[in-house]
Amino acid sequence: MRERFWERFTLDELDDEEWEALCDGCGKCCLLKLEDDESGDVATLNVACQLLDIDTCRCSDYENRFEHVPGCTKLTRDNLAAFHWLPASCAYRRLAEGRKLAAWHPLIAGDAQRMHRKQKSVRHFAVSECEVADEALEDHIIDIIPCQ
């Protein structure tokens, strides 16, 4: 990867390896969301996708995730704007908004565990969707993101 690529190039100029390296591994995009059909608001739950390894905050089958989780969506340069629900801490969102990476980001800190120690990942609060009944999902709402 090119040195400090996130500061020197736009998101559109990144190669696939650099694009993937931007992911801080927080797991927040792997939390289940419920969309209100009328308002378009998105409710984020503390319930993680069945494939998320909550301890590492990484997908347990990243290469085959779309086969196992049909609702999984792929964040790309072309569809980034559609992911208005990404947290403000997300590297993709930060860079798209002209902000710098957070000091705890693994590319800045040189330590993938710093994010967890700073409690910036879902490790300290998420539960697996395997442990939550569908009828109880609304009890796990932790945030409501208004439609923009």
Side-chain angles (χ1 to χ4, degrees), residues 63-117:
E63 295 301 318
N64 302 302
R65 65 194 185 278
F66 303 114
E67 295 168 26
H68 300 293
V69 182
C72 182
T73 54
K74 183 174 183 167
L75 179 66
T76 67
R77 296 158 191 82
D78 295 329
N79 69 8
L80 180 58
F83 288 78
H84 68 276
W85 48 262
L86 286 171
S89 59
C90 175
Y92 298 103
R93 180 173 176 175
R94 291 177 73 98
L95 294 178
E97 293 174 350
R99 296 184 291 140
K100 294 180 179 183
L101 295 181
W104 49 262
H105 191 286
L107 289 171
I108 301 294
D111 174 10
Q113 297 305 308
R114 185 171 184 193
M115 164 190 41
H116 301 300
R117 290 191 304 273

Side-chain angles (χ1 to χ4, degrees), residues 10 21 24 30 39 50 57 59 66 79-80 82 86-88 103 126 141 143:
T10 67
D24 55 36
C30 297
S39 69
Q50 62 184 323
C57 292
C59 184
F66 303 114
N79 69 8
L80 180 58
L86 286 171
I141 294 173
D143 193 19

Side-chain angles (χ1 to χ4, degrees), residues 14-145:
L14 302 183
D15 64 28
D16 291 344
E17 182 182 18
E18 292 165 340
W19 176 263
E20 290 289 327
L22 282 180
C23 176
D24 55 36
C26 71
K28 292 178 181 176
C29 61
C30 297
L31 295 176
L32 300 188
K33 280 92 178 156
L34 299 175
E35 185 173 350
D36 185 296
D37 292 333
E38 292 178 22
S39 69
D41 293 351
V42 176
T44 302
L45 292 84
N46 70 334
V47 179
C49 168
Q50 62 184 323
L51 293 180
L52 185 71
D53 177 326
I54 294 173
D55 187 51
T56 64
C57 292
R58 293 292 184 178
C59 184
S60 62
D61 195 4
Y62 188 73
E63 295 301 318
N64 302 302
R65 65 194 185 278
F66 303 114
E67 295 168 26
H68 300 293
V69 182
C72 182
T73 54
K74 183 174 183 167
L75 179 66
T76 67
R77 296 158 191 82
D78 295 329
N79 69 8
L80 180 58
F83 288 78
H84 68 276
W85 48 262
L86 286 171
S89 59
C90 175
Y92 298 103
R93 180 173 176 175
R94 291 177 73 98
L95 294 178
E97 293 174 350
R99 296 184 291 140
K100 294 180 179 183
L101 295 181
W104 49 262
H105 191 286
L107 289 171
I108 301 294
D111 174 10
Q113 297 305 308
R114 185 171 184 193
M115 164 190 41
H116 301 300
R117 290 191 304 273
K118 294 280 208 177
Q119 296 193 347
K120 301 297 182 181
S121 72
V122 303
R123 178 190 280 180
H124 64 286
F125 68 85
V127 296
S128 173
E129 71 177 312
C130 298
E131 301 172 20
V132 180
D134 287 346
E135 57 273 6
L137 287 174
E138 288 188 3
D139 296 336
H140 289 268
I141 294 173
I142 57 173
D143 193 19
I144 306 263
I145 301 147

